[in-house]
Amino acid sequence: MAEIIDGKAVAAAVKERIRKDAIRFQKTSKITPGLAVVLVGNDPASKIYVRNKKKACEEVGFKSFEYVLPAETPEIVLLELIDTLNRDPNIHGILVQLPLPKHIDEDEIIAAINPKKDVDCFHPVNVGKLVTGSADFAPCTPAGVMELIKSTGTEVAGKRCVVVGRSNIVGKPMAMLLLQANGTVTICHSKTENLGDVCREADILVAAVGKPKLITGDMIKPGAVVIDVGMNRDANGKLCGDVDFKAASKVAGFITPVPGGVGPMTIAMLMENTYSAAKLSVVK
Ligand code: NDP
């Protein structure tokens, strides 16, 4: 039976480390890291994410600034707000909660954020830096996955790593981080042939698709580390991942549950990035 990776416990340890580091940083720099979260509209899921981010800031002793704008806010108004936040020395990280209403161009909004405050790591400058290995931050979810892999004691270097999913926010940056850790990485997507065969080669398998039970038990190499990024609702409305947890846990060496795996790590890494951004603000 696989050992279950406790994402809540790993996230709590990461946040505790950040809290302690930030206290030391505050003593020397007189700076309290600050995160601005911008929400446009009324999406219930986004509201919950924003609330959780505020709570995490409180836990680690950061300042949080919340900006809630009506759904019909013109793009120019949002751009002006970002400009104000870019200049505010009390704000080190800026996160615009996605998705945005359809009349707003997400790419334009992301490009308007100062890359040094782009704690989501979505700005093209930061995406480029991630690829060249010179990033100030890593995108929160893939960075959280790296922490979870580390928590198992598994060395990525030399391992066969398979990432299922190639989105800009999870799959592609995930593959980059595994490559930088010297894994031998394969990226799969909806056009991949013989997905099962490719997955079965993985010592480390990361599923980031958005389809319940796409990854079945027979697609897993015995002893593999299986990280399930998926967040889906099953037929009964229950939260579930992309991996058939019951079947996979009989084969894998380590496995993340959903919920309680990758989810808590995403917010912990957002705190890490906000702290990094605060430190960047004092670098000459
Ligand atoms: P996207 O929809 O942007 O990307 C999904 C990817 O899966 C695409 O690359 C797609 O391929 C691929 N895919 C779809 N069907 C198949 C298939 N049958 N076989 C192989 N690959 C397939 O999703 P995201 O990356 O944004 O999110 C993925 C999942 O992770 C979602 O469930 C999301 O909710 C969750 N998530 C969880 C987070 C957390 O904090 N826990 C954070 C972010 C996301 P193609 O490119 O060819 O279309």
Side-chain angles (χ1 to χ4, degrees), residues 49 122 140-142 145 163-172 187-192 195 199 207-212 214-215 219 228-233 239-242 258 261-267:
Y49 295 144
F122 292 164
C140 301
T141 300
V145 171
V163 179
V164 189
R166 57 172 165 183
S167 72
N168 290 335
I169 61 163
V170 190
K172 283 181 200 160
I187 307 175
C188 300
H189 45 77
S190 66
K191 306 290 185 290
T192 297
L195 182 65
C199 290
V209 178
K211 294 205 167 145
L214 178 77
I215 308 296
M219 291 163 82
D228 191 351
V229 181
M231 280 209 300
N232 316 298
R233 296 274 165 194
L239 199 62
C240 68
D242 293 339
V258 178
V262 176
M265 289 308 295
T266 298
I267 292 196

Side-chain angles (χ1 to χ4, degrees), residues 122-191:
F122 292 164
H123 191 288
V125 165
N126 289 329
V127 175
K129 283 181 153 189
L130 188 70
V131 174
T132 56
S134 58
D136 297 316
F137 329 100
C140 301
T141 300
V145 171
M146 293 305 285
E147 287 287 332
L148 291 175
I149 296 169
K150 197 167 121 194
S151 78
T152 67
T154 305
E155 179 64 56
V156 176
K159 296 290 186 320
R160 294 298 305 259
C161 307
V162 173
V163 179
V164 189
R166 57 172 165 183
S167 72
N168 290 335
I169 61 163
V170 190
K172 283 181 200 160
M174 186 71 249
M176 280 302 138
L177 293 182
L178 289 165
L179 182 63
Q180 270 153 28
N182 296 318
T184 301
V185 185
T186 303
I187 307 175
C188 300
H189 45 77
S190 66
K191 306 290 185 290

